[in-house]
Amino acid sequence: MKLYANRIKQLRDEINKHNYSYYILDAPKIPDAEYDRLMRELEELEKKYPELIASDSPTQLVGARALGQFEKKKHGLPMLSLENGFSEEDIINFNQRIQDKLETSHDIKFCCEPKLDGLAVNLTYFKGHLELATTRGDGVSGEVITHNIKTIKTVPHHLKKIPGESFPEIIELRGEVFLSKAEFERINQEAKEKGDKIFANPRNAAAGSLRQLDARITANRHLSMYYYGVGEVKDFNLPSSQYSILELLEKWGCPINPEIKIVTGYKACLDYYQKILAKRNNLPYEIDGVVYKVDDIKQQRELGFVSRAPRWAIAHKFPAHEEMTEILAVEFQVGRTGVLTPVARLKPVNVSGAVISNATLHNMDEISRKDIHVGDWVIIRRAGDVIPEIVSVILDKRKNTHKITMPKNCPVCDAPVERIEGQAAYRCTGGITCRAQLEEGIKHFASRRAMDINGLGDKLVEQFVAEGLIKSIADLYDLEISQLINLDRFAEKSAENLIAAIDKSKSTTLGRFLFALGIRDVGETTANLLAKNIADIHKLFDISEEDLQQIPDVGPVVAKHIVEFFSQTKHQKLIERLIKSGIHWPKITKNTHQPLLGKTFVLTGTLEKYSRDEASDLLENLGAKVTNSVSKSTSYVIAGESPGSKIDKAGALGVEVLDEVAFLKLLSKTALHN
Ligand code: IVH
C-alpha cells in the first residue's frame, strides 16, 4: 500500500509538472503518448485505491491553472475533458457500459467527429453577439482571449439570424482553435529566418498564437476554428441531438467540421475511425483521433459524468506522431556531393504505425541548436509521409551522454573532411575516388526522375562499384551482357533486360539529363528551366554567372554552382563521353512558328514518355496554352494513365480527349519534335 501511495504521489507530481509545460508554457517536455501512459497508470492505481485520490490529482482537474498574464473568468458550465480509448477493445467496452447503463440492447446512435489537435475555447454569445472568449484553463475558469479570438476570420462576431427565431439570452459555444498544417509550416519557416523560437507542432503553435497579449500577432498567424458543442444556455430550447445542435450552429454561421458523421452502433464508429485514419495525412489540419458522442441528448443526461469526463463520449486516439526513444549512436553518411550527414541510430520505436530506428540530424548546426548528445532520450516525430525527425531532447533524462563530433576523415574513403565555407555542411574531399560519392551519384543518375534506368536499383549499383565495373557514370553505357552474367545472381534474361533499360535511357530530355548530372542545388525545376533557356548544352561550358542569372529563378548561389560544375574539364569530358555513347534529347528551339497558337490544353493522368512539366513545355513551345481545369474553351484534354475527373468534365462539355499515342502524333505532326 505504501508503495502504491508513493507511486501515486510521484505520478501526480510528474503529471502536474507536465500540465504546466503543456497548458501554460505551450512547450511540452514529453510526447503526448508518454503523457497518456502516465495518466493511464495513475487512473488505474486510483481506481484500485480510491482512498488515495488527492483533491489536486490531475485526474480530478482539467489542464492547468492560468499563468496570470490574462484576466481570468469562470465558465458558465465547466469545460470537461474526454476519456481516451486506444484500441477496439476500449471502444467495445465504452459501448457496453453505455448499453448497460441505459438498459438497452439496441445499437446506440453516435455522432462521430474528428478530434482536432488544437486547443479548446469557450465563446459566450449574448443575444447572438460574441462578448467573451476564454481558454479552457483548468476546466472551471480560463483566460480571457476575446480580442484574439476575434481575429479569426471564420468566427462570427454576430450569429446569423434565422428568420422567425430569436437568439438565446446567453449561450456558450465551444470548439477547437487550430492552425492548418500549411500555416504551421509558414510560421516556423518565418521564425527560422528571423532566428525566433520554432514550435514543435501545430497545436503548440496554435496555443502560443492564441495566448498573445498583442492581437496583431495573433491576426498574423491565421488561426482557424471548428465549433463542436454547447455549454451554458439561457432562455432557449436546444435541439434534442448532438448532430442537430451542430446543424443549428452551422445555420448561425459557425464553422462545423465537414467530416462529422452520424452512425448507428459501435461497429460503424470503428469504420469511421478507419476512414478518417486513412484520410489523416491528406487533411489540411492535424487530428489526433476521432470522438464518438452519444447523439441523443436525453441519453447523454441519463449517462452523466465521471469526475472530469462525460460517460457519453470517448476520444478514440490514433497512433501517436510523436514518441520518445534513446539515441544509441550517431553515424555519418556520405552523399553524392560528398556532404557528410549525421544520422542517429535509435532504439527502435513505433511511431504512427511504423517502426523507426534512424533519424537524420541534418547537420552540425542543427545538432548544437537542439543540443543533442549520443545517449540522450529524445522526442521523435513522424507526421504523415515525412521523414522522422528529432523534435527535442528530454533534458530531465540526460545521464552519461557524450557530444557528437564531426570526424576528421571520411568514414568511407578516409580522405580529409573539410567545412564548406559559409555553410553548416562538411564535405569529404575524396571526390569521385570516394566510393560513397560515386555510388550515390550513379543512384541519382539512374533514378526515375533523372535518366530513369529501370531495374538499376541501389543494391546493383553498390555491386557494380564494389566489383570495379563502374568507375564513372559514363561506364554504365559501356556495360556488356557478358560482363553481367559473370556476376553473382545475374541470369541471362535479367542481364539483357538491364542492358535494354540502359539503352532506352539514352533517349531523354535535356532537363532530365541536366538534373541527372547531380549539380549542387540544381533540382528538377532548375534543370528544366536551364534546358528551356539554353537549348545547346555546350553553351553552359563557358557561360558566366551573370548570364545565368538572367534566367528567371536562377539566383547567385545556384549560378555559382552551375559555373563551378561546367567549367571543370573532367565534367565537360564526362558530358562529351555520355553524348558519344548515344544520349540524346529532342531539340527544343524557341520557334517563331507556333502551330498550336490559340489552342488550350489540359493534362491529366501520367504519361509514359514525358513528365507533366515536359509535356507542358513542349505544348507551350508550339504556342499552346496549358491550363489546370477543363472548361468550354479547352481545345483538348490529354489523358495519360489513371486520369482524374477531368475526363468526365471533358465528356460533359464535349471537349476532345487525346490519349498518349494521339498526343505524340500531334506533336510529330508539327514536325518540330524529333
Ligand atoms: S468534446 C464534454 N469534441 O479534445 C466533451 N472535444 O480531450 C468535451 N477536442 O478539450 C470535448 N475535437 O480540446 C470534443 N470534436 C471534438 C473535439 C474535442 C477536439 C479536444 C478538446 C477537448 C479535448 C478533450
Side-chain angles (χ1 to χ4, degrees):
M1 187 71 162
K2 182 86 198 327
L3 211 64
Y4 291 123
N6 282 343
R7 179 63 184 154
I8 286 176
K9 173 153 182 1
Q10 204 179 29
L11 284 165
R12 226 166 37 217
D13 292 349
E14 198 169 341
I15 294 169
N16 278 332
K17 198 177 76 189
H18 291 308
N19 275 346
Y20 184 78
S21 311
Y22 179 109
Y23 290 107
I24 304 300
L25 304 178
D26 302 326
K29 290 209 165 71
I30 52 167
D32 289 359
E34 175 67 7
Y35 178 90
D36 288 343
R37 279 190 290 270
L38 295 173
M39 201 67 169
R40 276 217 139 179
E41 191 186 340
L42 179 60
E43 276 165 1
E44 268 156 31
L45 284 174
E46 287 184 343
K47 217 195 268 163
K48 269 199 218 144
Y49 307 100
E51 65 280 18
L52 293 179
I53 301 178
S55 62
D56 70 338
S57 169
T59 58
Q60 308 302 303
L61 297 164
V62 185
R65 240 163 273 134
L67 195 57
Q69 284 175 333
F70 294 86
E71 190 196 338
K72 277 194 336 189
K73 265 255 155 64
K74 200 164 174 229
H75 305 307
L77 277 183
M79 289 181 81
L80 299 165
S81 183
L82 290 169
E83 182 195 343
N84 284 329
F86 298 90
S87 60
E88 290 201 3
E89 201 192 334
D90 290 344
I91 304 310
I92 293 172
N93 292 339
F94 162 72
N95 180 67
Q96 194 59 53
R97 281 196 306 271
I98 291 172
Q99 289 190 325
D100 290 351
K101 187 124 182 120
L102 295 176
E103 294 177 4
T104 176
S105 54
H106 289 301
D107 280 345
I108 307 287
K109 233 181 177 181
F110 290 104
C111 184
C112 301
E113 310 177 3
K115 184 171 189 292
L116 286 148
D117 201 7
L119 62 157
V121 290
N122 186 24
L123 275 48
T124 315
Y125 287 84
F126 289 86
K127 293 205 172 80
H129 298 305
L130 173 60
E131 308 247 311
L132 174 70
T134 53
T135 61
R136 181 171 69 166
D138 62 4
V140 177
S141 48
E143 296 168 319
V144 177
I145 43 146
T146 320
H147 58 306
N148 288 341
I149 282 291
K150 285 189 168 170
T151 67
I152 303 176
K153 290 212 173 65
T154 54
V155 167
H157 297 191
H158 306 284
L159 298 180
K160 238 191 261 158
K161 182 113 177 68
I162 305 172
E165 288 181 29
S166 57
F167 290 121
E169 181 63 25
I170 294 181
I171 188 162
E172 289 185 321
L173 300 184
R174 281 145 185 203
E176 196 85 350
V177 169
F178 61 96
L179 264 183
S180 68
K181 292 175 187 168
E183 268 300 299
F184 168 70
E185 293 295 332
R186 186 188 67 82
I187 292 168
N188 261 357
Q189 193 54 43
E190 274 183 31
K192 219 180 224 169
E193 276 156 25
K194 282 201 228 145
D196 287 350
K197 176 180 151 194
I198 308 262
F199 291 106
N201 54 52
R203 195 224 18 250
N204 296 133
S209 305
L210 200 54
R211 297 169 75 257
Q212 287 285 339
L213 290 169
D214 182 351
R216 282 171 305 181
I217 300 179
T218 313
N220 272 328
R221 302 277 172 88
H222 304 122
L223 291 160
S224 310
M225 174 170 174
Y226 278 133
Y227 291 67
Y228 56 62
V230 170
E232 187 187 24
V233 200
K234 265 197 191 139
D235 286 343
F236 195 80
N237 283 329
L238 278 174
S240 60
S241 73
Q242 163 71 7
Y243 196 74
S244 46
I245 291 175
L246 294 180
E247 283 176 330
L248 172 66
L249 297 191
E250 192 158 44
K251 281 194 203 137
W252 279 343
C254 306
I256 307 292
N257 193 314
E259 308 293 340
I260 295 178
K261 291 258 147 43
I262 188 101
V263 307
T264 308
Y266 79 88
K267 281 201 180 114
C269 291
L270 298 177
D271 286 345
Y272 179 82
Y273 175 93
Q274 290 302 340
K275 278 208 189 94
I276 300 291
L277 181 58
K279 267 192 178 178
R280 183 186 196 184
N281 293 340
N282 297 325
L283 290 174
Y285 43 80
E286 288 277 0
I287 54 174
D288 58 350
V290 291
V291 186
Y292 313 132
K293 298 176 182 171
V294 170
D295 191 47
D296 188 305
I297 304 288
K298 236 178 29 226
Q299 289 184 333
Q300 285 189 5
R301 287 215 188 92
E302 242 175 279
L303 289 161
F305 301 86
V306 259
S307 66
R308 60 192 189 115
R311 273 202 201 88
W312 45 264
I314 193 165
H316 192 178
K317 300 279 280 257
F318 287 154
H321 278 326
E322 283 180 6
E323 264 299 351
M324 47 192 247
T325 188
E326 205 180 345
I327 300 186
L328 303 175
V330 170
E331 286 168 15
F332 288 84
Q333 269 175 5
V334 186
R336 104 184 111 81
T337 56
V339 171
L340 270 72
T341 307
V343 177
R345 304 285 172 224
L346 307 167
K347 196 163 153 202
V349 60
N350 194 317
V351 192
S352 26
V355 176
I356 304 299
S357 43
N358 303 307
T360 174
L361 296 171
H362 301 290
N363 55 50
M364 296 309 281
D365 283 6
E366 179 93 354
I367 290 176
S368 57
R369 196 168 62 75
K370 292 186 175 160
D371 185 26
I372 299 171
H373 290 188
V374 175
D376 265 334
W377 277 86
V378 289
I379 297 179
I380 68 166
R381 178 175 174 81
R382 175 180 164 265
D385 305 324
V386 180
I387 311 165
E389 71 162 353
I390 292 179
V391 179
S392 59
V393 173
I394 305 173
L395 283 175
D396 292 358
K397 276 179 161 290
R398 180 171 279 176
K399 256 191 282 178
N400 303 327
T401 63
H402 62 266
K403 284 203 162 171
I404 299 163
T405 49
M406 177 57 67
K408 296 217 160 18
N409 295 82
C410 170
V412 177
C413 74
D414 208 36
V417 167
E418 63 175 19
R419 179 156 199 160
I420 306 175
E421 227 185 271
Q423 284 192 30
Y426 288 75
R427 179 180 307 140
C428 154
T429 52
I432 214 78
T433 57
C434 174
R435 185 174 46 77
Q437 288 188 52
L438 177 61
E439 272 174 21
E440 293 308 312
I442 298 168
K443 286 178 196 169
H444 171 75
F445 185 83
S447 66
R448 200 170 57 80
R449 306 178 89 99
M451 299 302 280
D452 192 18
I453 305 180
N454 205 354
L456 185 56
D458 291 1
K459 283 267 155 332
L460 266 187
V461 171
E462 283 157 27
Q463 192 180 1
F464 289 169
V465 171
E467 302 269 350
L469 278 181
I470 300 182
K471 294 193 180 67
S472 146
I473 285 170
D475 292 345
L476 266 178
Y477 292 92
D478 293 341
L479 282 177
E480 283 170 16
I481 296 181
S482 58
Q483 288 174 299
L484 300 186
I485 43 181
N486 283 334
L487 295 177
D488 253 8
R489 285 172 289 140
F490 238 107
E492 189 157 347
K493 186 77 200 145
S494 47
E496 275 172 22
N497 286 347
L498 182 63
I499 297 294
I502 293 175
D503 217 42
K504 189 166 163 227
S505 76
K506 289 178 183 169
S507 166
T508 185
T509 64
L510 179 54
R512 276 178 180 271
F513 182 66
L514 291 172
F515 173 58
L517 290 173
I519 307 156
R520 271 173 73 192
D521 282 339
V522 176
E524 259 180 304
T525 318
T526 312
N528 282 327
L529 269 175
L530 274 180
K532 213 192 259 186
N533 287 277
I534 290 147
D536 181 1
I537 195 169
H538 294 97
K539 275 200 194 144
L540 287 167
F541 288 9
D542 48 16
I543 199 163
S544 70
E545 289 178 29
E546 293 73 36
D547 283 348
L548 277 168
Q549 285 183 60
Q550 299 305 310
I551 300 173
D553 293 336
V554 174
V557 176
V558 182
K560 185 167 164 261
H561 291 158
I562 295 172
V563 168
E564 249 169 36
F565 184 91
F566 285 101
S567 59
Q568 291 185 46
T569 325
K570 66 176 183 197
H571 291 147
Q572 295 181 3
K573 278 195 176 142
L574 172 71
I575 291 165
E576 298 294 9
R577 209 183 132 196
L578 286 166
I579 294 175
K580 229 175 163 174
S581 32
I583 289 180
H584 64 281
W585 46 83
K587 268 211 166 46
I588 303 177
T589 40
K590 283 249 181 251
N591 47 70
T592 40
H593 171 59
Q594 300 206 304
L596 298 180
L597 198 68
K599 296 261 188 286
T600 307
F601 286 73
V602 173
L603 299 162
T604 178
T606 322
L607 296 172
E608 200 183 315
K609 187 149 182 195
Y610 298 115
S611 74
R612 198 162 293 194
D613 283 347
E614 289 162 0
S616 291
D617 283 351
L618 287 168
L619 287 165
E620 279 167 1
N621 198 47
L622 297 171
K625 209 169 123 192
V626 181
T627 66
N628 270 327
S629 56
V630 184
S631 73
K632 273 196 303 229
S633 51
T634 308
S635 321
Y636 298 99
V637 169
I638 296 174
E641 269 299 299
S642 349
S645 61
K646 289 175 186 166
I647 282 265
D648 307 329
K649 188 131 189 234
L653 294 171
V655 173
E656 190 173 342
V657 178
L658 303 180
D659 64 8
E660 179 153 359
V661 177
F663 169 54
L664 295 178
K665 237 190 224 156
L666 178 92
L667 286 181
S668 62
K669 243 194 343 212
T670 65
L672 287 160
H673 166 254
N674 52 28

